[in-house]
Amino acid sequence: MTHRDDPALELLLRRPELADLAAYPFNFDVARRRNVEEVRLASDAPLRIAAGDDTGGTFYLCAGGEVLYGGSEGESGLLGESVSETLETIVGLASWGAYADLDLSLDDAELAAYIAEVEEEIAEYYGPTLDADRNRLLAGLGLRRLPVRELAARLQRALLRTEPEFLLLNAAEGLAYRRVDELPRPALWETVLAPARADLDRLRDGTAGPAILADAGRRAGVLRAAQYDRRPGDRPVLRALVEQEARFGGDSPEFRLAAVLLGRYGEPADHALLRSLAAEQPDLYYGLGGSEFPEQPEELRAWATSWDDSDYGEDPRDEPEIDWARLAGRQGRTELARAALIRLLDATGPADRDLIGLLASAFEEIGDHWQAARARYLHASLLDEPFARGSAFASAASAQRCAGEVTAAWKSLRRAVATLDGPPAVALSGIGWDRLGLGPTVAEEHFRVAHAAAAAGLHPEAEAALAAGTALLARLPGPLPASLREAAAAAGPDRA
């Protein structure tokens, strides 16, 4: 895609008199094609600069032609599906920010009064030719002059579509830009549960095909939907879910939830089913509570009710936001999950240490190593106990390496070893950290960092990581894990 894909933008680039008019007073200046800071989309889709404004903001072209605004104060929002549509909006509204949160339920008289106030403020600065220049610019670009209510509604629809696909980030730190608007949006749980509820309805009425039960993410969603919408006739659906989870999920949170929801019916046949599954798969026996699972069918309902009351709720608003984000990821809605997780990470502080660790794992689940690295490093920095802190820095190094941040990975790995080696040197039950499972893990990461550094042309880092990994290798008890031997051989054949 090039800047000349849109006819209105091509005209602005070709006709200086139109470009000047677009720049002042309508603040779309194709001569200001520069960033205040480097940015990227969370999705990593391409961005190009179309224009800027006199506040330091930038209008970005997205891969599909959409226009995303990024302000100099860290605010962002989608303005239109194309440059032409965006120009119709920002020229027609002139001060488009004044309409971002406008209550569109205003009657015609109230809206007219509001428009007059906005136009008067602009005219005080620009002069009485504002409306004539608006008509001249729109005509020169071959664009329409649409009613303000229609333009404001279109603007708000675009702003509401900003996330998750068009979430703008600071490219250096990974922090998300805040929203331009304060328009109400559905809660994450509503968005995540909507397709799950539709799947549950299909299973209930028998119109669902095997695809729902075969998909682990869709099963997880259906079970959540069933948890919050409990109906007497759901027993056949829950039996099918229990059997499918036992077959493909094993002792998973979904299997336990399905078993509890099914167990609340208290049917002897369901008791027999759960006992037979547990007998066939020992991990399911422990997933059902081991010896706590009742011997007698008449005790099934009490067992399920006890677990239900302690572990499961009936209001989705009570669930942590991270749980809904992870479920979105399992549903294959990666950008929805990513945007929610980034917003959660950006809002954390020192008191959220445990949450940050969970967020790191959630980013890794959707394959976002860059954000995972940010979370891993922050998590490690908040830990005090040396073993946990050193282990966390090793995890941060792995995430940074996977994100392509090899120099940062090497620094984190050095920090991990320095923390673990003391003073005082870390030991558990009198055994040094290097002689525990953490030792091979840290050694392996040295060789992986060395290999990545060499591939990136970072030869001093590669040599230093290789030497440190070789020295650490000599401290480890045998036999060495196969993955460690493979990593050592890849980094330096004589080290395996």
Side-chain angles (χ1 to χ4, degrees), residues 30-54:
V30 294
R32 293 178 180 265
R33 295 197 298 272
R34 55 184 177 272
N35 278 324
V36 173
E37 64 179 9
E38 291 301 313
V39 298
R40 61 186 284 186
L41 287 178
S43 66
D44 218 23
L47 282 178
R48 300 172 187 265
I49 300 176
D53 67 19
D54 61 9

Side-chain angles (χ1 to χ4, degrees), residues 36-112:
V36 173
E37 64 179 9
E38 291 301 313
V39 298
R40 61 186 284 186
L41 287 178
S43 66
D44 218 23
L47 282 178
R48 300 172 187 265
I49 300 176
D53 67 19
D54 61 9
T55 69
T58 306
F59 299 91
Y60 296 98
L61 277 174
C62 302
E66 304 90 348
V67 175
L68 179 69
Y69 178 76
S72 60
E73 300 300 318
E75 72 279 14
S76 178
L78 194 69
L79 300 185
E81 298 299 315
S82 65
V83 174
S84 293
E85 180 180 299
T86 299
L87 284 167
E88 282 184 346
T89 298
I90 65 178
V91 173
L93 298 178
S95 180
W96 61 267
Y99 296 89
D101 299 311
L102 179 65
D103 181 1
L104 295 178
S105 68
L106 294 175
D107 63 31
D108 290 343
E110 291 170 325
L111 179 59

Side-chain angles (χ1 to χ4, degrees), residues 37-42 167-177 338-339 341-347 363 368 370-375 405:
E37 64 179 9
E38 291 301 313
V39 298
R40 61 186 284 186
L41 287 178
L167 180 62
L168 191 65
L169 307 179
N170 173 293
E173 299 176 352
L175 299 168
Y177 276 50
R338 191 195 320 273
L341 292 170
I342 290 172
R343 291 290 187 196
L344 283 171
L345 181 57
D346 287 355
F363 280 121
D368 192 330
W370 186 49
Q371 291 290 344
R374 177 162 79 100
E405 299 176 352

Side-chain angles (χ1 to χ4, degrees), residues 243-468:
E243 292 176 325
Q244 199 75 355
E245 284 298 330
R247 182 179 178 187
F248 295 106
D251 179 23
S252 64
E254 287 71 39
F255 172 76
R256 290 191 292 276
L257 174 57
V260 167
L261 293 176
L262 181 63
R264 286 189 66 104
Y265 289 90
E267 294 291 336
D270 299 332
H271 180 264
L273 170 63
L274 293 173
R275 284 185 63 85
S276 67
L277 292 173
E280 294 167 3
Q281 301 182 54
D283 60 326
L284 298 184
Y285 170 78
Y286 294 104
L288 294 174
S291 60
E292 294 180 8
F293 188 75
E295 292 282 341
Q296 303 302 320
E298 57 269 20
E299 298 172 347
L300 178 62
R301 181 180 286 112
W303 167 86
T305 301
S306 176
W307 271 42
D308 193 13
D309 291 346
S310 64
D311 292 1
Y312 305 108
E314 297 188 42
D315 189 339
R317 290 169 293 191
D318 295 335
E319 296 290 341
E321 194 86 343
I322 186 174
D323 289 354
W324 295 117
R326 296 179 97 155
L327 182 53
R330 295 189 65 188
Q331 291 174 329
R333 304 163 81 179
T334 303
E335 295 313 318
L336 178 62
R338 191 195 320 273
L341 292 170
I342 290 172
R343 291 290 187 196
L344 283 171
L345 181 57
D346 287 355
T348 58
D352 300 307
R353 183 180 66 189
D354 293 342
L355 173 60
I356 294 169
L358 293 174
L359 288 169
S361 297
F363 280 121
E364 289 164 351
E365 289 169 4
I366 62 170
D368 192 330
H369 299 293
W370 186 49
Q371 291 290 344
R374 177 162 79 100
R376 288 280 178 212
Y377 190 86
L378 179 58
H379 181 243
S381 302
L382 295 173
L383 296 172
D384 296 320
E385 195 278 318
F387 186 89
R389 186 178 177 88
S391 177
F393 273 119
S395 296
S398 177
Q400 289 164 333
R401 172 180 54 79
C402 291
E405 299 176 352
V406 182
T407 299
W410 173 227
K411 290 180 180 178
S412 293
L413 199 54
R414 289 165 58 194
R415 193 167 179 181
V417 174
T419 301
L420 292 166
D421 275 344
V426 173
L428 296 181
S429 302
I431 302 174
W433 71 270
D434 50 342
R435 302 187 68 79
L436 299 169
L438 184 59
T441 299
V442 174
E444 180 177 331
E445 189 57 36
H446 276 76
F447 293 118
R448 295 198 181 281
V449 167
H451 187 270
L458 302 171
H459 300 298
E461 288 89 343
E463 292 173 4
L466 185 59

